[in-house]
Amino acid sequence: MTRTLPEYPWDTLVPYREKAAEHPGGVVDLSIGSPVDPTPEIVRRALTDATDAHAYPTTVGTAELRNAIIDWYARRRRVPDLEHRNVLPTIGSKELVALLPFLLGLGTGDVVVHPTAAYPSYAIGAALCDATAVASDDPADWPDETRLIWLNSPGNPDGRVHGIEHLRSAVARARELNAVIVNDECYAELGWEEPWTDEPTPCILDPRVTDGNRRGILSIYSLSKQSNMAGYRAAFATGCGSVIASLTTVRKHAGLMVPAPLQHAMAVALGDDEHVALQKSLYRRRRDVLAPALDDAGFRIERSEAGLYLWVTEGRDAWDSIDRLAGMGIIGGPGHFYGDHYPNFVRLSLTASDERIDEGAARLRAAASGGETLQERR
């Protein structure tokens, strides 16, 4: 069956990119959360050391990688007692998000719940298997037909963090519905507000959430953000052994395997916390520069307590804000890209160089003081 999918949303930014490109100081692109800093040397060296990959890799991952995932969850996510059967490496996290409804066998009549402010791939995954996507943050409102529930904490685009009690209530409702519940946790190491400044945000597999029972619960994680490994497509799913086994069977038949050299690089990255702390300090500095400049320019920052983005509003339609920013040579992402509930919000990424972040902040401060850009004079 041929399926018609919506237009890729970022393509609609082309006119605003063209306007921003006219700025004499160049473009400050804060629209995409793609890392700009180098992949750590320890990871690149590990990849080089593993290039003799003459045999097919295994779908379930090497023992080295599975052990590294288990150790990392115990050390950084407060999740003890995981076993090899509880973990599965994936080819990045986006393919898992988009394919999970299909991999779980969902179809017509089934409901996939996702946050009201959500990355589009959650709904796209439902569309790919003819399931119905429903945006809802309140477990009490999740329909009886729900078979898969997506949480995203810390959230993209809004940086919202769910505490232990909210995760507990979500898991309880998922079990009432006999649905699989998944928390997309790829920004877990990037908390900015207390109590997440010096520790990771809560994991859905935390025993305080599960009471020791992981049935129907998955956590997914990506090394793209914490380790600048977006180009490696390095991620994994962890949790309920039965769900992992089901996913593994389908992925074996489909030949979905993480390349062997990347598996070694992933294991090395997971074993080194120092480079993660360094990367977080870089993002902290950029956030500390950009946030007050946005405030000065009339933007209100909401949520954004963790993650790679600032979720901001001027109280008017996001496309008007995008146009204003383009006049300063700054590109952001309109709230319309992330569902129907936040049409007045804009997402701005911290994944730009220090120089570009500084330049963007300077332009925002100039706007606040009445300075005009080239486009505004025209």
Side-chain angles (χ1 to χ4, degrees):
M1 179 176 63
T2 300
R3 180 167 306 286
T4 301
L5 296 176
E7 180 182 9
Y8 191 63
W10 277 265
D11 291 343
T12 62
L13 282 175
V14 169
Y16 302 96
R17 291 185 179 278
E18 292 173 347
K19 181 175 181 177
E22 297 179 14
H23 195 284
V27 172
V28 177
D29 191 347
L30 307 180
S31 65
I32 303 293
S34 183
V36 299
D37 300 307
T39 303
E41 175 61 27
I42 188 175
V43 175
R44 288 183 282 166
R45 186 167 60 249
L47 181 66
T48 301
D49 291 344
T51 52
D52 180 14
H54 48 275
Y56 287 112
T58 57
T59 299
V60 297
T62 63
E64 176 197 33
L65 176 55
R66 285 182 286 173
N67 287 337
I69 294 171
I70 290 168
D71 291 345
W72 181 80
Y73 266 93
R75 186 177 75 252
R76 299 299 302 165
R77 306 299 283 131
R78 297 182 176 178
V79 179
D81 303 326
L82 292 173
E83 301 175 6
H84 282 188
R85 66 185 182 88
N86 300 119
V87 301
L88 178 66
T90 65
I91 310 164
S93 58
K94 185 172 182 177
E95 67 93 355
L96 179 62
V97 170
L99 291 179
L100 189 59
F102 165 77
L103 294 173
L104 292 174
L106 273 63
T108 304
D110 295 327
V111 169
V112 176
V113 169
H114 62 77
T116 56
Y119 194 67
S121 295
Y122 303 121
I124 292 297
L128 288 173
C129 66
D130 205 35
T132 300
V134 172
S136 174
D137 298 319
D138 186 350
D141 292 337
W142 296 345
D144 291 341
E145 298 79 15
T146 300
R147 294 296 172 263
L148 173 62
I149 298 156
W150 282 106
L151 304 179
N152 180 203
S153 174
N156 174 14
D158 59 359
R160 172 195 291 189
V161 176
H162 291 314
I164 294 295
E165 289 307 313
H166 181 86
L167 294 175
R168 283 180 61 88
S169 65
V171 166
R173 176 60 175 155
R175 287 178 171 164
E176 289 177 358
L177 296 166
N178 196 30
V180 173
I181 184 167
V182 188
N183 193 18
D184 182 348
E185 301 178 355
C186 67
Y187 304 99
E189 292 276 8
L190 301 174
W192 310 120
E193 297 182 6
E194 293 291 349
W196 321 123
T197 53
D198 297 312
E199 63 176 282
T201 57
C203 179
I204 198 170
L205 297 175
D206 189 307
R208 293 173 294 173
V209 175
T210 68
D211 290 329
N213 181 357
R214 291 187 287 264
R215 178 176 58 85
I217 308 172
L218 293 180
S219 159
I220 67 171
Y221 195 76
S222 166
L223 298 182
S224 297
K225 279 62 178 180
Q226 74 158 46
S227 301
N228 295 328
M229 293 174 66
Y232 285 57
R233 312 312 301 132
F236 42 87
T238 307
C240 175
S242 296
V243 176
I244 291 292
S246 178
L247 298 179
T248 300
T249 297
V250 181
R251 294 175 71 85
K252 283 180 177 179
H253 283 296
L256 296 174
M257 301 171 282
V258 176
L262 301 188
Q263 292 194 40
H264 178 60
M266 289 171 67
V268 170
L270 286 165
D272 181 70
D273 295 336
E274 183 177 353
H275 78 271
V276 182
L278 175 61
Q279 188 59 47
K280 182 175 180 178
S281 70
L282 293 177
Y283 285 134
R284 187 191 305 276
R285 185 262 180 197
R286 292 164 188 167
R287 188 179 188 275
D288 289 345
V289 169
L290 189 60
L294 286 163
D295 185 66
D296 290 344
F299 290 90
R300 184 179 77 254
I301 299 172
E302 289 201 2
R303 297 174 180 165
S304 307
E305 58 258 37
L308 282 181
Y309 311 103
L310 291 172
W311 188 231
V312 305
T313 181
E314 295 183 282
R316 58 175 174 165
D317 188 83
W319 285 115
D320 293 333
S321 295
I322 291 294
D323 187 62
R324 180 191 175 204
L325 289 166
M328 305 178 207
I330 300 171
I331 305 172
H336 303 282
F337 285 6
Y338 308 101
D340 299 329
H341 295 78
Y342 300 94
N344 297 330
F345 279 77
V346 171
R347 191 194 78 168
L348 297 170
S349 172
L350 303 176
T351 55
S353 67
D354 289 352
E355 183 274 331
R356 287 289 86 186
I357 292 287
D358 291 348
E359 175 66 19
R363 295 178 192 180
L364 289 162
R365 287 193 297 270
S369 63
E372 292 180 320
T373 66
L374 179 64
Q375 289 80 358
E376 287 168 337
R377 288 198 297 271
R378 290 176 179 171

